[in-house]
Amino acid sequence: MVARILAGIFASVLWPLVASYATRLVSPQNAGRAMATALTGSTIALSIGLPLASAIVGMVGWRATFGILTLLSLILFVWVSLKVPPFPGESAQDRVPLSQVFKIPGMPTILIVTFATLLAHYILYTYIAPFTKALHFEGGTSLALLLFGIGTLVGIALTGKLIDNHLRRTALGTVLLTAISMLVIGTVGNLAIIAHLSVFLWGVSFGGAPTLFQTAANKVADKAIDMATSIIVTVYNLGIFGGSLAGGFIISASNAYALPWTVFVLILVSLIFVWNGYRHAFPRTKS
């Protein structure tokens, strides 16, 4: 438990640093694409790394798997130390107080959308195994995770191409695609091909979500980018925790079939806030 807590602390420190650092490596007009590239790792780790790690555990055991991860981390540490260029951090006089970040126009909307979207996704993703079993998903959980993982890669690629010039449209398209996929899964998810396509599209909608919300926050934060990034990561993790907790309550109180409908309702909340955030959070473009 202590090791898990320490890992969580260091991960929560690393993530905002990586996102902020990626934007400093490139010109401002390519910041969104740089962040999409940097955050690709976290999305791939979630959608593909978890099933892969489970498979390795089945072959060599969990202790050896942790040993492999430790070795890879040490190799990464050495590589970063030698190859990644340094950048100065924020000076004390330029640092924006945490309370002021929440008052930035558009930031509350972005935080609400981030939380609602992540809460929605993780209500179903955390319990995808019992859901696919209840749905009699052809190919089982393994195929569902594979389709979802491939979809996330497609979503990352699309987001990276569109985010810098079409942030609002990309955000609207992302949450709308989630809503459509949940609606289809909830109504005709027992049809194999349709279920497979819906899970894939769900993965597409999830793939670009972290980059979308992080980029939106960075655009409105101006000089408070580092602090805004940290807040987004915190809200993101709260959404993961809340989704896992809420999904467990839903299955206990009802059944797995209620999961996609709960996701559908929550993602509509995100859609409403994105749509109404045209002034600051997700501004309309002139084109």
Side-chain angles (χ1 to χ4, degrees):
M1 289 300 296
V2 172
R4 288 178 64 89
I5 291 171
L6 289 175
I9 291 173
F10 289 123
S12 63
V13 172
L14 175 65
W15 195 355
L17 287 175
V18 169
S20 177
Y21 182 89
T23 60
R24 299 186 186 191
L25 287 169
V26 298
S27 59
Q29 58 266 30
N30 291 314
R33 185 173 299 181
M35 191 176 301
T37 303
L39 297 182
T40 295
S42 62
T43 307
I44 294 176
L46 172 69
S47 57
I48 297 178
L50 288 178
L52 179 61
S54 299
I56 296 174
V57 168
M59 293 185 291
V60 300
W62 68 270
R63 292 183 184 277
T65 302
F66 272 101
I68 293 171
L69 291 174
T70 301
L71 178 61
L72 291 175
S73 298
L74 290 173
I75 294 173
L76 182 61
F77 169 77
V78 174
W79 180 81
V80 170
S81 300
L82 296 175
K83 296 294 184 180
V84 176
F87 285 106
E90 274 187 346
S91 60
Q93 58 268 27
D94 293 333
R95 191 173 301 132
V96 179
L98 180 63
S99 59
Q100 295 300 316
V101 178
F102 291 99
K103 298 178 182 180
I104 296 174
M107 186 61 69
T109 297
I110 295 170
L111 295 178
I112 292 172
V113 172
T114 301
F115 179 74
T117 303
L118 270 295
L119 183 70
H121 279 292
Y122 277 88
I123 281 176
L124 183 55
Y125 183 81
T126 307
Y127 298 95
I128 193 170
F131 177 72
T132 53
K133 184 177 180 180
L135 195 65
H136 301 291
F137 189 89
E138 188 173 323
T141 304
S142 298
L143 180 59
L145 288 173
L146 177 63
L147 291 171
F148 182 86
I150 295 173
T152 60
L153 296 179
V154 174
I156 291 169
L158 290 174
T159 301
K161 290 183 177 181
L162 299 173
I163 192 169
D164 287 311
N165 297 318
H166 306 285
L167 175 64
R168 176 175 174 79
R169 294 173 184 174
T170 307
L172 286 171
T174 295
V175 293
L176 185 60
L177 185 58
T178 305
I180 293 172
S181 60
M182 290 300 112
L183 183 62
V184 173
I185 290 174
T187 53
V188 290
N190 58 325
L191 301 178
I193 296 178
I194 294 179
H196 292 167
L197 179 61
S198 298
V199 170
F200 168 76
L201 293 177
W202 172 35
V204 173
S205 69
F206 176 79
T211 303
L212 273 172
F213 305 141
Q214 193 69 73
T215 301
N218 284 6
K219 285 181 178 294
V220 303
D222 194 19
K223 294 182 179 180
I225 287 181
D226 289 345
M227 188 64 71
T229 302
S230 301
I231 295 173
I232 283 288
V233 171
T234 302
V235 172
Y236 196 103
N237 287 322
L238 286 174
I240 295 174
F241 168 76
S244 303
L245 185 65
F249 283 130
I250 292 168
I251 289 181
S252 299
S254 182
N255 55 57
Y257 288 107
L259 295 177
W261 292 110
T262 307
V263 175
F264 178 75
V265 172
L266 284 170
I267 214 67
L268 286 183
V269 174
S270 295
L271 182 61
I272 291 171
F273 274 91
V274 173
W275 181 265
N276 290 324
Y278 59 87
R279 288 191 178 91
H280 302 289
F282 303 95
R284 292 170 177 164
T285 56
K286 296 180 180 180
S287 57

